[in-house]
């Protein structure tokens, strides 16, 4: 059975390598269409999902006493699904979408962003104080995430892109989340990460999640961009970018011969690492529970696998849904949904990010409370 898993891993690697070398359309425009139809990546995505479902089924029936083998089958399926999801993003014909096709005029972004951030912050304060009065850190982190959403609208008149508060929010978010997990899930997570298969499954899943997040948000692309102001050939340079929240000095690079291009700032890396670490820890919990015979001392883990799987699925569903809409109904009809996730100024994009962080971190905190 190990040889079968290795064989599937080799096939998945071939698929990912093939997708990486496709001459596909740029997410920022360009004069060339994709050489392969977008549904091809969709097929790869569904094959990966099928492999995950098949491995889970085998783990519940044939491989009941060899669930580690089933676990690696799940990971290979996730690998193939991630390759398909990245291909789906990269093959998207987004050069046909224009700002005029956005679902709302940009004049609505500021009031909606302010309202959304205020609701998140005030709601977090009320729920945190009413339900967990003895754990004020929950309300604190919720208010911090609400401030992340509302910051561009609130600080617009005070130089939002250069104000120190923006940098404080970006650095404070992972510190606040980390503090909650340290206080409420430190011991149970130490049991999880001490299990070798669970630890490596979590590391692999976190890396896949981080890469998908980078591709879906345009930080990485297999299509080096060409156009006015973009050097020809390979280059590495530094540029200012206004994401997330404030201006950062970012490293931009392009290697057309590979091909790969991207842009990364310290703030972007913080976002990616937050998503990757939280998904990785949740995946480790899933793997730990999947091997149900694992115990720490005399205490057995009690939380359900479905509960930790849901936030991980939510974290990746938005960009994939927008791409599925492009495949299903065409770029023009799907433009409103696509712009909800693509436009960095959209309040929906910020909400999607903070709710993903809240769900992933909240699930880990709940796991810790259930297994104290």
């Amino acid at each position: 059975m190990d040889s079968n898993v290795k064989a599937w891993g080799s096939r998945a690697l071939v698929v990912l390598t093939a997708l990486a070398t496709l001459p596909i359309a740029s997410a920022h425009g360009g004069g060339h269409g994709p050489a392969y139809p977008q549904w091809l990546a969709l097929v790869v995505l569904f094959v990966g999902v099928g492999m995950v479902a098949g491995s889970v089924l085998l783990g519940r029936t044939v491989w009941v006493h060899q669930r580690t083998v089933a676990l690696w089958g799940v990971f290979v399926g996730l690998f193939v699904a991630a390759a398909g999801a990245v291909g789906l993003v990269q093959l998207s014909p987004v050069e046909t979408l224009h700002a005029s096709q956005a679902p709302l005029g940009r004049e609505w972004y500021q009031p909606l962003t302010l309202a959304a951030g205020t609701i998140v912050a005030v709601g977090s304060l009320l729920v945190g104080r009413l339900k967990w009065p003895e754990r004020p850190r929950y309300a604190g982190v919720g208010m911090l995430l609400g401030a992340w959403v509302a910051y561009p609208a609130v600080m617009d008149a005070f130089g939002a892109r250069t104000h120190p508060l923006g940098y404080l929010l970006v650095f404070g978010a992972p510190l606040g989340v980390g503090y909650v997990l340290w206080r409420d899930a430190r011991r149970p997570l130490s049991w999880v990460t001490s299990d070798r298969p669970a630890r490596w499954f979590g590391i692999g899943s976190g890396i896949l999640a981080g890469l998908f997040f980078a591709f879906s948000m345009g930080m990485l692309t297999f299509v080096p961009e060409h156009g006015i102001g973009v050097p020809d050939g390979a280059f590495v340079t530094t540029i200012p970018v206004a994401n997330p929240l404030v201006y950062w000095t970012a490293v931009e690079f392009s290697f057309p011969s590979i091909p790969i291009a991207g842009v990364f700032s310290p703030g972007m890396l913080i976002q990616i690492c937050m998503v990757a670490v939280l998904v990785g820890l949740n995946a480790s919990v899933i793997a730990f529970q999947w091997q149900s015979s694992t115990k720490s001392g005399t205490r057995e883990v009690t939380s359900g696998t479905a509960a930790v799987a849901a936030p991980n699925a939510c974290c990746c569903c938005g960009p994939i849904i927008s791409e599925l809409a492009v495949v299903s109904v065409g770029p023009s009809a799907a433009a409103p949904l696509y712009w909800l996730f693509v436009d960095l100024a959209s309040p929906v994009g910020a909400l999607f990010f903070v709710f993903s962080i809240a769900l992933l971190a909240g699930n880990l905190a709940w796991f810790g409370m259930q297994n104290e």
Side-chain angles (χ1 to χ4, degrees):
M1 292 181 184
D2 291 334
S3 61
N4 290 334
V5 173
K6 292 178 180 178
W8 276 114
S10 300
R11 294 171 190 171
L13 183 60
V14 170
V15 170
L16 184 62
T17 304
L19 284 173
T21 58
L22 293 179
I24 48 188
S26 171
H28 304 284
H32 301 285
Y36 292 88
Q38 197 178 21
W39 60 260
L40 182 62
L42 187 61
V43 170
V44 177
L45 173 62
F46 285 149
V47 167
V49 172
M51 291 172 62
V52 171
S55 297
V56 171
L57 181 61
L58 287 172
R60 292 180 180 276
T61 55
V62 180
W63 293 340
V64 173
H65 301 294
Q66 295 175 301
R67 283 194 165 178
T68 300
V69 176
L71 182 66
W72 293 119
V74 170
F75 178 75
V76 173
L78 290 174
F79 185 95
V80 175
V86 169
L88 198 62
V89 172
Q90 295 291 288
L91 287 167
S92 177
V94 296
E95 70 273 11
T96 62
L97 302 182
H98 305 286
S100 61
Q101 296 172 284
L104 293 172
R106 295 183 70 85
E107 66 273 11
W108 287 97
Y109 282 7
Q110 187 171 24
L112 287 176
T113 298
L114 179 59
T118 302
I119 290 172
V120 172
V122 174
S124 298
L125 177 62
L126 293 177
V127 173
R129 296 306 296 162
L130 291 175
K131 190 168 185 179
W132 299 288
E134 75 287 357
R135 299 174 191 259
R137 51 191 173 274
Y138 292 173
V141 171
M143 293 175 67
L144 181 66
L145 295 177
W148 181 300
V149 177
Y151 173 84
V154 174
M155 299 300 294
D156 186 56
F158 302 96
R161 295 301 183 182
T162 56
H163 199 280
L165 180 58
Y167 296 96
L168 185 63
L169 283 175
V170 174
F171 286 107
L175 292 178
V177 171
Y179 176 72
V180 167
L181 298 185
W182 176 259
R183 289 292 304 273
D184 297 329
R186 181 172 72 252
R187 287 182 57 214
L189 287 179
S190 69
W191 307 341
V192 169
T193 55
S194 64
D195 181 67
R196 191 167 180 267
R199 181 174 66 249
W200 282 107
F201 183 80
I203 290 173
S205 299
I207 291 173
L208 290 178
L211 286 173
F212 175 73
F213 184 72
F215 277 107
S216 66
M217 297 304 294
M219 301 174 194
L220 277 176
T221 178
F222 287 134
V223 187
E225 185 173 320
H226 301 285
I228 299 175
V230 179
D232 293 329
F235 69 88
V236 178
T237 187
T238 57
I239 59 171
V241 295
N243 178 51
L245 299 185
V246 287
Y247 278 114
W248 305 84
T249 298
V251 175
E252 183 182 19
F253 59 90
S254 177
F255 301 100
S257 59
I258 295 179
I260 192 169
V263 55
F264 286 100
S265 70
M268 292 175 180
L269 291 175
I270 288 173
Q271 281 187 297
I272 293 174
C273 289
M274 284 181 66
V275 171
V277 169
L278 290 174
V279 170
L281 287 173
N282 274 270
S284 292
V285 171
I286 293 174
F288 188 69
Q289 293 174 332
W290 181 245
Q291 302 172 99
S292 56
S293 61
T294 303
K295 294 183 180 181
S296 280
T298 59
R299 305 209 47 175
E300 187 169 1
V301 176
T302 58
S303 58
T305 301
V308 288
N312 292 319
C314 176
C315 189
C316 296
C317 68
I320 291 181
I321 288 174
S322 64
E323 300 294 347
L324 288 175
V326 173
V327 175
S328 303
V329 299
S332 298
L337 180 60
Y338 192 91
W339 274 107
L340 288 176
F341 297 99
V342 172
D343 192 343
L344 296 177
S346 167
V348 177
L351 281 172
F352 180 76
F353 174 73
V354 299
F355 273 119
S356 296
I357 296 299
L359 280 171
L360 291 165
N363 191 75
L364 291 170
W366 178 83
F367 169 75
M369 286 189 290
Q370 294 295 311
N371 297 282
E372 288 178 341

